[in-house]
Amino acid sequence: MKKVIAITLIVAVLLAIVAVPVYQIFGRRDVSEIRLEIPQASTSAAIGALLKENGVIGSPLFFKLYLKATGQGADFKAGVYDFNGSYNLPDIAAMLKEGGLAGIKVTIPEGYTLEQIAAALVKNGIVTEADFMEAAANGDYRYDYVPKTGDALRLQGYLFPETYRFFPDTDAKEVIAAMLKEFDNHFSAEWRSQMAERGLSMEETVTMASIIEREAAVALDRPIIAGVFFKRLEIGMKLQSCATVQYALGETKPALSTNDIAIDSPYNTYLVDGLPPGPICSPGKAALEAALYPTETDYVYFVAKPDGSHVFSVTYEEHLAAKAAIERGENPTSQETEE
């Protein structure tokens, strides 16, 4: 009988308090909004403690009792929430069940440089350029393939192109960590095995993929272009990538001049041997796959057509003929590779 009375009293108290704003019961007078992040895999007890710590509720015990009495808490969602002191316990529980704020959608396209990524985030009010570059240069991230601190460009190529949702004034390190996590999630165990089988480092893989990303406008061309570049490396030929020269110039041109390809830069692959010092942009999934699974080919040359597709050739003479045909307004096709 005593147990029944005790339970009845608890229920009565809960019914009395849940409909009243939290601050009126527990003395919280600050009714301004508080933005609070509920981490992934948080228990209801951990959420109650976090709400108490930030002044959203006055008693984690009453929060726990309310959840127990109403059978809630198991389906609360992680996320970012705006709370204020006018909310009662049912309001708070309903919010946690529905989910947090959506945030600002920011799309990072394939082929963006680090500077372009920073500009997109700054434009949307997520970070300041100074904070982003500082976090890129000196932030401590847990991935062993991320180069050492000191230069923001160490992260170029590893900030995965994707659509993200961030909140204004998010810590720049958190933004970068989310983009690195997305890269790491895409770089599967199968990809790592393929990379090792090809004898490539992560930096070499991402660098090659970044060049492919900037060179290929047509999806079907990506693995063939990858095969051409690897073929050039195999025979000791310079990469001669227009994309790397454009990166060195800091601008994209429809055609490079003789002076352009003479620019003194470690990214000028018309002059330097092998790959450039690092990625020239953030490659997407398809470009990374092309770098890991290139088409085995005898092609050594390619030239772009007006529609963005390419003509591939085995010999330099065939390459010159294809260029001339394109200049005449014709539509040449790739020369067959040797069997």
Side-chain angles (χ1 to χ4, degrees), residues 8-185:
T8 302
L9 287 172
I10 290 172
V11 172
V13 170
L14 287 172
L15 290 174
I17 69 172
V18 294
V20 181
V22 173
Y23 77 90
Q24 292 181 9
I25 299 170
F26 301 116
R28 180 173 180 268
R29 301 298 176 184
D30 177 12
V31 295
S32 61
E33 281 198 347
I34 292 177
R35 179 157 289 172
L36 183 61
E37 181 175 2
I38 305 298
Q40 293 285 347
S42 294
T43 64
S44 58
I47 293 173
L50 192 62
L51 294 175
K52 162 64 176 174
E53 180 184 343
N54 287 274
V56 178
I57 63 174
S59 171
L61 174 60
F62 273 109
F63 183 69
K64 179 179 179 181
L65 289 173
Y66 171 71
L67 297 183
K68 190 173 182 64
T70 56
Q72 299 184 76
D75 54 355
F76 286 168
K77 295 180 174 65
V80 176
Y81 295 83
D82 281 340
F83 296 104
N84 66 57
S86 67
Y87 294 147
N88 55 37
L89 290 180
D91 292 335
I92 294 171
M95 290 172 65
L96 292 168
K97 188 174 181 178
E98 183 178 346
L101 303 172
I104 298 171
K105 185 167 72 172
V106 183
T107 297
I108 306 301
E110 291 87 349
Y112 259 29
T113 63
L114 189 77
E115 290 78 8
Q116 288 174 313
I117 292 172
L121 294 167
V122 171
K123 180 181 178 181
N124 284 277
I126 309 302
V127 297
T128 66
E129 182 179 5
D131 286 347
F132 182 82
M133 289 303 182
E134 168 61 24
N138 298 309
D140 184 15
Y141 306 104
R142 63 183 180 86
Y143 305 102
D144 57 6
Y145 49 78
V146 172
K148 294 180 180 179
T149 59
D151 184 354
L153 284 179
R154 70 191 178 116
L155 297 187
Q156 179 134 279
Y158 300 101
L159 303 182
F160 198 78
E162 184 59 272
T163 296
Y164 298 90
R165 287 189 181 273
F166 297 117
F167 290 91
D169 302 320
T170 300
D171 184 87
K173 290 181 182 178
E174 292 181 20
V175 172
I176 288 172
M179 301 178 80
L180 288 173
K181 181 179 181 182
E182 195 69 24
F183 175 90
D184 199 67
N185 287 343

Side-chain angles (χ1 to χ4, degrees), residues 266-303:
Y267 287 92
N268 183 356
T269 55
Y270 278 82
L271 297 180
V272 300
D273 292 322
L275 290 166
I280 61 173
C281 69
S282 284
K285 180 180 178 181
L288 286 164
E289 284 183 331
L292 291 167
Y293 302 93
T295 298
E296 297 295 331
T297 181
D298 290 326
Y299 292 140
V300 184
Y301 303 95
F302 60 89
V303 59

